[in-house]
Structures are given as C-alpha cells and as structure tokens.
Amino acid sequence: MIRIKCPYCGDRDHSEFTYGGDGSIVYPELDASVEDWTNAIFFRKNIYGIQTETWQHVHGCRLWLKIKRSTITHEIESIEPAHKEIIKMVKNK
Amino acid sequence: MTRFNAWNVLKNGFINQTGWQRQWRDPVLKKEYDVVIVGAGLHGLATAYYLAKNHKINNIAVLEKGWLGGGNAGRNTTIVRSNYMMPGNHEFYEHSLKLWENLSHELNYNVMFSQRAHVNLFHSPAARDSNARRYNTMLLHNTDAEFWNLKKLKKTIPHLNYGPNARFPIMGAAVQKRAGTARHDAVAWGYARAADSLGVDIIQNCEVNGFVRRANNIDIIETSRGQIKAKKVGFAVAGNTSRLWQMAGLDSLPIESHKLQAFVTEPLKPILDQVVVFGVGGAHFYISQSDKGGLVFGGDLDWYKSYAQRGNLPIVQDVAEAALSILPCLGRVRLLRHWSGIMDMTMDGSFFICKTPIDNLYLNAGWNYGGFKTTPASGWHFADLIANNRPNKIINNHDLKRFEKGVNIDERGAGPDPKLHG
C-alpha cells in the first residue's frame, strides 16, 4: 500500500485515490498539427524513476493532486494540489 | 541434441539416464552476429527459433540480462485463446493458436498444451449481446466459438456460484473450446532447446548497457560481456521496452509499464477442467487449474504505473473477493504464492511488431496482459519482419504510426488510457 499525504485530508491509503496518469502532459493549441496532438495523447516517456503524475482523492476531498513518485520504489517525493486556485476560491468564500 | 522419443526414453532406462545431452549450450559470445535479439523471454526465443527455422539465418544471438524465461515468461497465468475481433488481431491470434496446436511436435518438447476450453461468463443481456457479436465475428473468420446456456454450464462446471444470492447471477457463457492453457516454463525451454540446436547462441547473464549508432543504424551493442557488432537488432523486452528504447537514443512510445499480479493456491484434486473468466461490475477474474493441482488465477492491474515487480495488497483483496463470488467453494483454500510482472500497456491495447526510426532496429512490444498466448505467432511474425525487412499483411497496422493514421486497434474501445486495456 502506498501512503499518500493529502494536503487537505492528511495521511491516507492509496486505495482511497484513483490514479490519473502522467501529470506532465502539456496539450498543444487546438489548431496544432496532427503530429503534435498524436504525441500529446498517445506517446509517453514511461519514466523509469521519479515521474509527475495525477491522483484524485475520490474517497476523500475529491480534489486532484500532483504527485512526484518513483516508479521503481513507489516512494513519494512531493505532493501538491493540482489546481491551487480552487482552494483559494473555497477558502475565500 | 538427443531427441525425445520412445526409443530414447527406453534406451536411457537401461543405461541409468546417462544418454541425455544438455538442453542448450552456454556459448561464448561472438564478435559479430547477423541478428541480435535482446531478451530471452518467450517472444525473443521464439523469434530466434523461427529466424533459424523459417528463414535459415543461423548467426543469431539472444541476449538475456538474467536467466532465460525469468521475466514475464514465468509470471503469467498461461492462458491461450484467440477470441479477438479486430482486423489484424483475429488473424494473428488465430495463427498463434494454430501454431500452439502443433507446438509440442514442432519443438520435440512437451509444452503441455491443453485445449480445455475458455469459458467467458456473462451476467446481463448487454454482456450476452456484446459476447454474441464478438463470438459471431470469430465464427465468420472460421475460429471456433459457441454459446453455452445455463443448463449446459451447470452440467459442465458444477462448482460456480449459481445460487439465488449471487450478486451477479450467471446467465450463460461464451466459449472457445480450442482455447486452453500450456506449461509456461516448457514453452521457454522448448524454444530455447530448439533454437540452440539450429545454432542460435543464447547468452544469459548478459545485460545490454548501450548502443553505438552509425548513420541511422545500430552498429555496436555494448553489453556487460563486451561489445557486439550486429547487422540487425530486435527488441523483445516487454515491460522494459521504454528503457531500452531510450538507451537506443529514441524518445517516447505509446506504452506505459504497469504491473499485473497472479496467484496460485495449494494443490487440490481436480475441481476445474476449464479456464473460467468472470468480468462484471468492475471485477475481472480468470482462473484455471494447473496439472499440479494449484488454482492459477489473476485479476486487474495494480492501477498505477510501476516498474517494481511486486504487487499491492488492495488488488489481492479484490481478486480474492472475485474468486469467492464466483467460486465460493474456494473459501478455505490457502494461497501458496503471488507475484507480479511488468506489462507493456499500450494506448489501444494492441501490440507492436514493427520497424522503427532506426533502419536496422525492429520492435516487438506492447503485449498488455496477453503476451503468453501470442508467443508462437509473435516469434513467427517478428522473424518474418526481421528477415524480409517489411511487415506482412497481418501485422501491417501493428506499428507506431497507427495512432497518427487513425487506425487504432482497440478491442475494448477503452480509448488512449493504457491501464484500461486489461
């Protein structure tokens, strides 16, 4: 079991989360070439080592997190909210 | 190589089994080869065998970091079937099944291929209809397929949960009778022995560390046992394809590495004669009984990308739940071992046997969950590609360009998310 320290809910089992996949993808402009879109959607570095990925805390706060995790040892290097502005909006309410 | 036949078995009975030879040599690495295959797993060994057998290329090396058949070859659930529907896939998998049917004779090695039927349960009218579509498509391509109603199913496999309290009552099953299981180690050893006897050098404990490129070719392969020159290079290292790809100076692939667990119980008396598959409501479960009596089964991926060959516990629980919901009689059976292997999960759930941006490099990768059953055809078609330097009609679309061309081969229709193509 991987333990993920959710910035909102605290230290939880990974079974509370769903895995979103590669968090480093930057999608091109809508009118970009077919090649650029193919690369963004279908091609992956498939990193052996520390990769940036997204997880959603579905059985908790339901917010998306951006996590740096080793694909070799599963050790987590850093965790941050994927959309910081949403938190600001919630807090300012 | 001493052939296995009745006469030799009898003869060795009289001479205290001293008449047998080593199954394969431990050859010294040569300086130069016509073809170097990286990875002595099932696909790499099969490729070397068919290169030597069908294409008469004998100066071949198969390089292996560990010992042959020590990766995913020894980590699967040994199911063989050909219930595929998409153009390109159904021909390929059916070709594979046909090769399986004669494999023990072809290799002079008992791979214990047992055509015990693959029984795909369905639990809703929608699942029945989608199975009918798939299995009718198979019939149209002359692959065997049939439907079993509840009466026949109950008679043939009496231990499934047919009770009124089942969360998903069984409605029937789509069945492929020619499908079944084989003995995974025997397949690796059989191909290794047959390839070796045709002159292929299988080099174990030889890790590839780098490539020297000249123009648009791989000129030299750097290994832990020295440098090798190669005219043609083939990668067959599913699970670690991306790592080797980047070692060769290439960039990205439509592949993510995920891990899949498998389980085996203590040996039991015969209880299950078929391969049974259960998939409903997010559960995914497949089970068969090995000749030793252990129940061999598996479920879904671990759901996050990983290169670690060890499984996580939530999936153990999921699989155990699925097992008990379909076969409640297993409640007190003890688990003997469980393990995990690294899958090349692709963006459409189909494989790659193709040329690459490097002229003399060929790729065999992206086998998702289903690499074991394809072993013979994978080797056959990869050898055909390497020898003739062109894809044949069947694997014409199994290349890296298919996404850009819009000819994804997506059996499940799950879209570009590798972990969904189980």
Side-chain angles (χ1 to χ4, degrees), chain B residues 22-54:
Chain B
R22 277 187 71 145
Q23 308 258 321
W24 51 83
R25 300 161 296 137
D26 186 14
V28 181
L29 194 61
K30 286 191 258 178
K31 290 266 175 270
E32 191 170 346
Y33 287 96
D34 291 340
V35 180
V36 170
I37 305 290
V38 184
L42 295 169
H43 293 217
L45 293 167
T47 305
Y49 170 73
Y50 290 110
L51 273 170
K53 171 91 190 312
N54 296 352

Side-chain angles (χ1 to χ4, degrees), chain A residues 22-58:
Chain A
D22 198 326
S24 64
I25 305 167
V26 182
Y27 290 107
E29 293 296 319
L30 276 177
D31 57 355
S33 67
V34 171
E35 203 189 337
D36 287 350
W37 273 105
T38 307
N39 279 335
I41 292 176
F42 296 106
F43 282 75
R44 298 286 177 269
K45 283 256 189 248
N46 199 12
I47 291 166
Y48 181 80
I50 305 279
Q51 75 161 10
T52 305
E53 57 196 21
T54 56
W55 290 76
Q56 189 190 13
H57 197 182
V58 277

Side-chain angles (χ1 to χ4, degrees), chain B residues 25 27 32 38 54 62 69 110 149 215 249 261 338 353 365 388 404:
Chain B
R25 300 161 296 137
E32 191 170 346
V38 184
N54 296 352
V62 186
N110 184 6
N149 60 23
Q261 300 189 50
H338 78 114
I353 295 183
N388 299 314
E404 199 176 326

